[in-house]
Amino acid sequence: MLHQYNEHKYRHRRNKLVSGLKDKGITSGEVLSAIARIPRHEFVDTAFADRAYEDSALPIDMKQTISQPFTVAKQTEMLQLVPGEKVLEIGTGSGYQAAILLELGAEVYTVERHRLLYERAREILHRLDYRLMMKCGDGTEGWPAYAPYNGIVVTAGAPVVPEALVQQLSEGGRLVIPVGDETRQAMHRITREGDDFHEEIFEDYKFVPLIGRSGWNNPEADS
Ligand code: SAM
């Protein structure tokens, strides 16, 4: 009975979140209906479950965050995925964005540098019956073994665009990555066109830092 009540409550909140995202400019019906289906409360600590359908980032372990739903929706929309395409996510975090990509019918590869987060996300995604490839390591190097990818999405702020990621794009592939300093980053979309790359720059966001060989190498944040 309590379970049914909670399911109803969360469904209602998810629908409200979706209409809020529409009002804020998210237009992809596929992305919106993925958000309407995915139980975001499962991806946060139970202490935050009641806030899971606010349009805000929330803390997860290792001083990291589950991104704001608007940001997840925007980055996913910018990838312009079609079902069956291969996508690499750098920064698995809670696993929520990976679930969205899977709901869109993508073949998903995701890399997280913190082992604890990698293990938690793996447990949640498997419990919810999602099937994907996951790895614990430095995502600034990409995941060359499965390259090339039709889409690559980086969910942490980078000081520069890591060359390895650009090289792992397929023809027509899109890399969506926030680039800037440690306080603000502009969203970049880089599209591979033959030997050329077309770069578009969009509005500012605030992400946790991308730490690694081609990211920020800040031992202070390395906890
Ligand atoms: N996509 C995540 C979600 O849906 O919860 C949001 C993750 S959070 C904003 C960014 C994540 O990137 C953190 O979990 C952080 O540990 C991870 N990260 C930072 N640098 C990384 C790197 N070089 N390789 C892989 N993951 C990295």
Side-chain angles (χ1 to χ4, degrees):
M1 199 62 181
L2 180 64
H3 176 73
Q4 267 178 343
Y5 166 74
N6 278 334
E7 282 310 303
H8 177 78
K9 176 180 79 180
Y10 288 137
R11 197 170 324 116
H12 178 69
R13 290 183 185 177
R14 267 201 299 279
N15 290 338
K16 272 182 73 176
L17 172 63
V18 165
S19 52
L21 293 176
K22 259 193 219 162
D23 293 344
K24 290 179 185 171
I26 301 300
T27 56
S28 161
E30 289 81 10
V31 172
L32 291 168
S33 64
I35 290 175
R37 286 195 298 276
I38 299 175
R40 189 171 187 255
H41 61 276
E42 299 277 359
F43 293 85
V44 298
D45 192 276
T46 46
F48 291 103
D50 231 39
R51 297 186 51 198
Y53 298 103
E54 289 174 12
D55 187 22
S56 55
L58 292 170
I60 55 174
D61 286 310
M62 310 306 297
K63 301 189 200 148
Q64 303 302 317
T65 54
I66 176 171
S67 303
Q68 182 184 350
F70 176 79
T71 306
V72 175
K74 197 72 197 170
Q75 283 197 288
T76 308
E77 212 170 60
M78 287 176 70
L79 280 172
Q80 298 177 313
L81 290 171
V82 297
E85 282 194 322
K86 224 161 119 179
V87 60
L88 173 67
E89 176 194 30
I90 307 304
T92 316
S94 68
Y96 178 70
Q97 167 106 50
I100 303 261
L101 299 169
L102 287 157
E103 288 283 342
L104 293 181
E107 184 182 318
V108 178
Y109 297 78
T110 183
V111 183
E112 169 57 52
R113 63 184 288 273
H114 284 297
R115 181 152 294 276
L116 179 75
L117 296 180
Y118 157 78
E119 280 168 2
R120 295 230 160 121
R122 190 175 58 174
E123 186 275 313
I124 295 162
L125 288 162
H126 283 189
R127 178 156 46 81
L128 295 176
D129 249 355
Y130 288 113
R131 294 288 171 261
L132 72 166
M133 296 288 284
M134 302 182 71
K135 171 172 144 171
C136 185
D138 178 6
T140 64
E141 308 285 299
W143 195 346
Y146 294 100
Y149 303 95
N150 304 103
I152 301 179
V153 58
V154 180
T155 70
V160 290
V161 177
E163 185 58 26
L165 298 184
V166 171
Q167 292 309 330
Q168 290 172 34
L169 285 175
S170 63
E171 172 57 30
R174 291 80 59 199
L175 165 63
V176 174
I177 178 170
V179 182
D181 60 25
E182 280 163 290
T183 54
R184 303 296 304 173
Q185 306 86 29
M187 197 64 77
H188 291 229
R189 177 168 59 198
I190 296 163
T191 306
R192 180 170 212 149
E193 294 167 354
D195 290 337
D196 280 343
F197 295 93
H198 172 64
E199 182 162 26
E200 300 157 278
I201 300 176
F202 298 87
E203 56 280 274
D204 279 7
Y205 290 85
K206 163 97 190 87
F207 281 84
V208 294
L210 180 76
I211 311 278
R213 271 184 69 178
S214 303
W216 296 100
N217 212 343
N218 178 359
E220 293 279 84
D222 194 8
S223 52

